[in-house]
């Protein structure tokens, strides 16, 4: 699906055989639903514009060609495959219209879920609307840490954390040889147990830990592991 407008652009690629899962015992739509049809997969990133901290797993659906129980006329409908096998969207006389209706209904459900996640973070958990720390990676393998920055999207988004120390402990320090850096619009004022200073560079120490070098106002220069940073503003 290449277009955010569900009435334009490419539809999902349809396949005759169901994607194989460990628990899958039916290969075709006739084996699974008793009617002819095809399968397609909707990626977890659909629809575009969702907050990047709200993720979904890829979902498999089937578009079936079967008679309408009320009228007896043949129509196309989209059914969930891996869940309760419920109809998604509104059945239609042609396949494309049925699929677009299903995608529109799915997009509405996922947007509503994303809004609820953000509401719960703010009004129930008392957190920021989105996790302040996002980690992505470039094609060259460099990890990029985004801290409360102005970047609307993160290239190669991989993880979210509530604090940079958790990001270091849970991601950056897992593979000590991976190069890393902050995104250009992240804060540069760093607070440690020894005081506050301005970020000047990032690197790794002899233990492989992600470290930051900061310059204090009194002229002192300090190198500290990111897991020990208490704040960035």
């Amino acid at each position: 699906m290449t277009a955010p407008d569900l009435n334009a652009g490419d539809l999902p690629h349809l396949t005759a055989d169901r994607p194989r899962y460990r628990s899958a015992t039916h290969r075709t739509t006739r084996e699974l639903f008793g009617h002819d049809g095809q399968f397609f997969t909707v990626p977890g990133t659909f629809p575009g514009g969702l907050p990047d901290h709200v993720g979904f797993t890829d979902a498999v659906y089937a578009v079936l060609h079967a008679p309408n129980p009320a009228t007896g006329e043949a129509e196309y409908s989209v059914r969930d495959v891996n869940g309760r096998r419920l109809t998604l969207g509104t059945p239609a006389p042609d396949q494309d219209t049925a699929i677009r209706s299903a995608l529109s209904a799915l997009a509405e459900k996922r947007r509503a879920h994303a809004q609820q996640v953000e509401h719960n973070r703010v009004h129930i958990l008392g957190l920021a609307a989105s996790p302040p720390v996002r980690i992505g990676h470039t094609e060259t393998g460099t990890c990029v840490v985004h801290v409360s920055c102005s970047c609307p999207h993160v290239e190669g988004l991989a993880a979210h954390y509530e604090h940079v120390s958790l990001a270091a402990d849970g991601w950056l320090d897992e593979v000590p040889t991976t190069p890393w850096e902050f995104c250009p619009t992240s804060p540069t004022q760093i607070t440690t147990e020894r005081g506050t200073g301005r970020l000047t560079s990032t690197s790794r120490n002899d233990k492989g830990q992600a470290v930051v070098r900061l310059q204090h106002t009194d002229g002192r220069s300090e190198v500290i592991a990111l897991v020990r940073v208490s704040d960035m503003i």
Side-chain angles (χ1 to χ4, degrees):
M1 293 162 290
T2 59
D5 179 4
L6 298 177
N7 293 315
D10 297 333
L11 287 169
H13 175 68
L14 301 177
T15 62
D17 290 341
R18 178 185 179 186
R20 300 300 291 172
Y21 294 98
R22 189 174 301 176
S23 60
T25 57
H26 300 89
R27 192 183 70 181
T28 67
T29 59
R30 178 160 290 280
E31 292 172 340
L32 190 61
F33 295 100
H35 298 288
D36 292 328
Q38 293 174 292
F39 297 102
F40 63 92
T41 301
V42 179
T45 54
F46 174 83
L50 289 178
D52 59 14
H53 63 282
V54 179
F56 297 89
T57 58
D58 292 0
V60 179
Y61 293 90
V63 56
L64 307 174
H65 194 213
N68 183 303
T71 65
E73 296 182 2
E75 64 182 10
Y76 289 91
S77 61
V78 175
R79 300 275 293 277
D80 177 24
V81 170
N82 296 327
R84 299 172 61 187
R85 302 184 185 178
L86 299 177
T87 299
L88 182 67
T90 303
D94 65 279
Q95 182 174 268
D96 284 4
T97 301
I99 293 176
R100 293 188 191 280
S101 174
L103 294 176
S104 180
L106 180 62
E108 184 176 347
K109 288 183 178 180
R110 287 185 170 181
R111 290 192 187 102
H113 176 80
Q115 290 175 353
Q116 188 63 52
V117 169
E118 293 192 302
H119 178 275
N120 290 348
R121 283 185 60 87
V122 175
H123 299 286
I124 296 178
L125 300 177
L127 303 173
S130 62
V133 180
R134 298 173 292 172
I135 291 185
H137 54 81
T138 66
E139 291 184 357
T140 60
T142 299
C143 279
V144 182
V145 183
H146 299 253
V147 184
S148 302
C149 60
S150 59
C151 303
H153 301 290
V154 173
E155 178 186 359
L157 181 68
H160 302 87
Y161 294 94
E162 298 295 336
H163 195 274
V164 289
S165 61
L166 299 175
D169 186 50
W171 188 273
L172 293 178
D173 292 347
E174 285 292 308
V175 183
T177 57
T178 302
W180 75 282
E181 62 188 26
F182 288 111
C183 89
T185 59
S186 290
T188 57
Q189 193 77 7
I190 294 179
T191 301
T192 73
E193 58 185 14
R194 299 181 182 179
T196 299
R198 182 69 61 181
L199 172 71
T200 59
S201 64
T202 61
S203 59
R204 291 190 180 274
N205 59 21
D206 55 2
K207 297 179 181 178
Q209 290 179 303
V211 298
V212 292
R213 178 179 292 276
L214 55 153
Q215 188 75 30
H216 292 279
T217 55
D218 60 6
R220 289 183 299 113
S221 180
E222 178 183 18
V223 175
I224 186 171
L226 194 60
V227 291
R228 294 172 53 203
V229 169
S230 55
D231 198 10
M232 288 185 66
I233 57 174

